[in-house]
């Protein structure tokens, strides 16, 4: 494979210039287009979220199946998550904003997983204290997106483990080491925490079915880099008597420096990503020096126009800063024609990002009041150990508990 074309996307590594269509084929997922999009639009009451309209969400697994069940009256729940290792950046909001829209349109319960164990296992420099601290900080940013708190639940791995573990042990027994080795490319030196971890990421997808004792369909909006985890989930779900979760996958937001994607870690992370806690001046500085699809001179740009598709600033308009289709089309058209110069485009975007940060940070402070009470800490049902000691001679609890 020529060097220029090579890229790598796994849950633990994203590298190179991603060809999303090729990636979708590699992963074997379905294209989010045509009839399934129209079914989604209709079920959602006639509209689609801009992230879907603009193709940021571009791939899925079994969304059609989920919608067919929905039309028959079967309600689904939503699940997404975050592995804390630092502050959130704009790219992280992509899944949660779609979740919020879906929650509203489909009146769906939302499960958020904060995996304060995952990145601790994946990144040797990260301390336990920082994983936990970022976990709480990230949770506030996620809740600031505006979920219905009566229908929103949080698995904070190290705090929710008593609730998750009964299901995790069942899940883990179904996953052979050879599978995780092949799916995640683990090396002999990989610590065994990561080997087990995928079982924990599977748990929320099956939890409502396990808890209620009936089949509850699940939809997972996530970056396409997370698909490998859920291939494992989908492989084993039915063998435990639960439905396979459906998925809807997004592209990742490109880095501001024109290299790779926005990321929390890596040598150039600080200037490549817009973190949600960046002060206004930092936002301005990062956008001012961001990579664009512009020309070498003003004269050339006026004459030939610029290239939105390769521009990191256009990607931000596309993801969340164009408030409607009209604005998005205008920015795209004026960029391409040369009517809009990069300096002016950046200036307008900077103001919008700063205004969004002000609103977001206020919402995040309000979330402090209720974040704690959304965290699941109690096991869903007795497993045996949490029952009163048996007084019967047999001394064993009812076998139905071990179903
Ligand atoms: N592994 C994800 C990360 O690295 C976190 C995560 C947990 C997640 N559960 C999820 C992401 C469900 C998407 C959907 O950030």
């Amino acid at each position: 494979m020529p060097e220029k074309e090579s890229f790598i996307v796994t849950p633990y590594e994203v590298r190179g210039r991603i060809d999303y269509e090729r990636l979708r084929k590699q992963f074997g997922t379905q294209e989010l287009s045509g009839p399934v999009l129209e079914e989604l639009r209709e079920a959602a009451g006639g509209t689609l979220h801009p992230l879907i309209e603009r193709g940021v969400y571009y791939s899925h697994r079994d969304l059609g199946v989920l919608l067919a069940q929905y039309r028959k009256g079967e309600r689904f729940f939503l699940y997404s998550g975050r592995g804390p290792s630092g502050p959130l950046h704009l790219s992280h909001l992509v899944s949660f904003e779609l979740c919020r829209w879906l929650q509203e349109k489909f009146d769906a319960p939302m499960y958020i997983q904060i995996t304060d164990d995952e990145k601790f296992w994946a990144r040797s420099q990260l301390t336990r204290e920082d994983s936990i601290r970022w976990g709480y900080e990230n949770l506030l940013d996620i809740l600031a997106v505006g979920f219905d708190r009566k229908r929103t639940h949080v698995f904070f791995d190290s705090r929710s483990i008593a609730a998750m573990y009964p299901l995790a042990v069942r899940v883990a027994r179904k996953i052979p080491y050879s599978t995780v080795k092949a799916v995640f490319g683990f090396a002999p030196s990989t610590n065994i925490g990561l080997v087990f971890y995928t079982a924990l990421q599977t748990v929320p997808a099956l939890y409502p079915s396990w808890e209620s004792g009936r089949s509850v369909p699940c939809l997972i909006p996530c970056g396409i880099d997370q698909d490998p985890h859920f291939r494992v989930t989908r492989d084993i779900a039915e063998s435990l008597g639960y439905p396979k979760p459906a998925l809807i996958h997004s592209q990742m937001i490109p880095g501001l420096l024109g290299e790779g994607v926005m990321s929390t870690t890596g040598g150039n992370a600080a200037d490549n990503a817009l973190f949600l806690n960046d002060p206004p001046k930092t936002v301005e500085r990062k956008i001012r020096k961001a990579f664009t699809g512009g020309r070498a001179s003003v004269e050339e740009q006026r004459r030939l126009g610029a290239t939105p598709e390769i521009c990191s600033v256009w990607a931000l308009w596309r993801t969340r800063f164009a408030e409607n289709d009209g604005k998005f089309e205008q920015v795209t058209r004026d960029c391409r024609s040369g009517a809009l110069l990069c300096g002016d485009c950046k200036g307008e975007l900077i103001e919008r990002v700063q205004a969004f940060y002000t609103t977001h940070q206020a919402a995040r402070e309000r979330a402090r009041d209720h974040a704690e009470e959304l965290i699941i800490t109690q096991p869903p049902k007795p497993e045996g150990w949490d029952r009163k000691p048996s007084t019967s001679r047999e001394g064993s609890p009812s076998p139905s508990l071990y179903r």
Side-chain angles (χ1 to χ4, degrees):
M1 199 168 21
E3 191 54 40
K4 212 165 97 250
E5 273 191 285
S6 68
F7 61 87
I8 289 184
V9 177
T10 79
Y12 299 109
E13 188 179 15
V14 177
R15 205 154 30 90
R17 181 173 283 281
I18 304 166
D19 177 336
Y20 282 103
E21 209 31 47
R22 229 173 81 196
L23 182 62
R24 191 181 66 71
K25 294 202 177 105
Q26 257 174 36
F27 279 5
T29 65
Q30 296 155 280
E31 191 179 332
L32 186 62
S33 63
V36 77
L37 267 191
E38 291 321 304
E39 285 165 32
L40 179 61
R41 190 195 304 275
E42 197 188 316
T47 55
L48 283 176
H49 193 279
L51 285 166
I52 301 176
E53 291 277 20
R54 295 175 195 170
V56 177
Y57 277 89
Y58 83 113
S59 155
H60 74 99
R61 288 186 191 270
D62 282 352
L63 181 62
V65 174
L66 184 98
L67 291 170
Q69 289 169 329
Y70 181 78
R71 285 194 297 272
K72 283 194 254 153
E74 250 186 271
R75 293 309 188 83
F76 60 87
F77 69 96
L78 297 158
Y79 162 40
S80 199
R82 154 74 177 155
S85 63
L88 285 196
H89 49 69
L90 280 174
S91 200
H92 292 124
L93 293 183
V94 165
S95 350
F96 296 105
E97 286 189 330
L98 190 74
C99 285
R100 189 218 18 211
W101 180 81
L102 288 164
Q103 177 173 65
E104 190 187 307
K105 298 293 175 192
F106 293 90
D107 193 21
M110 170 78 201
Y111 286 78
I112 300 164
Q113 182 177 32
I114 305 289
T115 60
D116 64 308
D117 42 5
E118 177 186 15
K119 299 296 159 73
F120 178 71
W121 285 327
R123 308 226 165 100
S124 57
Q125 331 78 280
L126 198 64
T127 64
R128 270 303 285 154
E129 290 70 21
D130 283 347
S131 311
I132 293 165
R133 183 169 64 86
W134 285 120
Y136 283 107
E137 295 295 325
N138 293 176
L139 177 58
L140 297 181
D141 285 302
I142 292 167
L143 295 175
V145 165
F147 293 102
D148 170 2
R149 66 173 91 163
K150 287 195 249 28
R151 323 212 59 199
T152 299
H153 314 277
V154 176
F155 290 103
F156 198 114
D157 284 0
S158 65
R159 300 240 352 245
S160 308
I161 195 66
M164 300 171 74
Y165 204 61
L167 185 50
V169 294
R170 288 167 167 84
V171 167
R173 185 161 74 168
K174 296 287 181 187
I175 308 174
Y177 174 65
S178 58
T179 299
V180 290
K181 183 169 184 286
V183 169
F184 300 105
F186 289 152
S189 58
T190 301
N191 69 61
I192 61 173
L194 275 189
V195 173
F196 176 70
Y197 169 74
T198 198
L200 291 175
Q201 187 156 326
T202 285
V203 163
L206 311 180
Y207 190 90
S209 295
W210 138 257
E211 184 186 32
S212 67
R214 60 189 180 82
S215 226
V216 192
C218 171
L219 175 61
I220 307 174
C222 61
I224 185 120
D225 61 316
Q226 295 297 310
D227 184 71
H229 280 296
F230 299 118
R231 287 205 294 270
V232 176
T233 306
R234 287 168 51 85
D235 265 1
I236 59 110
E238 285 174 339
S239 73
L240 287 168
Y242 305 123
K244 292 181 182 196
L247 294 145
I248 167 165
H249 306 104
S250 71
Q251 301 175 358
M252 275 82 75
I253 302 190
L256 294 174
L257 301 175
E259 296 159 29
V261 296
M262 281 199 188
S263 158
T264 315
T265 47
N268 60 12
D271 284 341
N272 214 20
L274 279 172
F275 293 102
L276 296 177
N277 62 358
D278 281 341
K281 281 263 166 274
T282 310
V283 168
E284 178 166 8
R285 183 179 55 77
K286 287 185 184 177
I287 296 181
R288 281 291 168 206
K289 62 181 244 198
F291 172 82
T292 72
R295 301 279 173 175
S297 72
V298 170
E299 183 278 324
E300 221 182 283
Q301 185 148 338
R302 289 276 186 227
R303 191 159 46 85
L304 300 170
T307 315
E309 287 75 14
I310 62 165
C311 177
S312 72
V313 175
W314 178 77
L316 293 170
W317 285 108
R318 177 189 188 216
T319 314
R320 66 153 306 123
F321 293 101
E323 71 280 20
N324 55 40
D325 294 347
K327 179 67 189 176
F328 180 58
E329 277 154 29
Q330 180 217 322
V331 170
T332 309
R333 187 177 356 101
D334 292 351
C335 167
R336 224 188 283 289
S337 73
L340 181 61
L341 296 178
C342 296
D344 298 336
C345 174
K346 286 179 167 180
E348 194 183 348
L349 186 76
I350 288 166
E351 280 175 24
R352 288 183 184 223
V353 176
Q354 289 170 337
F356 167 67
Y357 275 26
T358 308
T359 329
H360 175 82
Q361 278 153 12
R364 154 184 223 290
E365 288 314 305
R366 289 196 299 277
R368 272 184 208 283
D369 304 339
H370 64 278
E372 183 63 29
E373 68 204 38
L374 303 184
I375 299 175
I376 297 172
T377 54
Q378 294 303 312
K381 53 184 176 183
E383 274 256 287
W385 55 266
D386 44 358
R387 307 184 86 219
K388 289 207 182 69
S390 171
T391 49
S392 80
R393 277 184 195 265
E394 293 78 39
S396 72
S398 125
S400 68
L401 292 169
Y402 291 99
R403 194 170 55 90

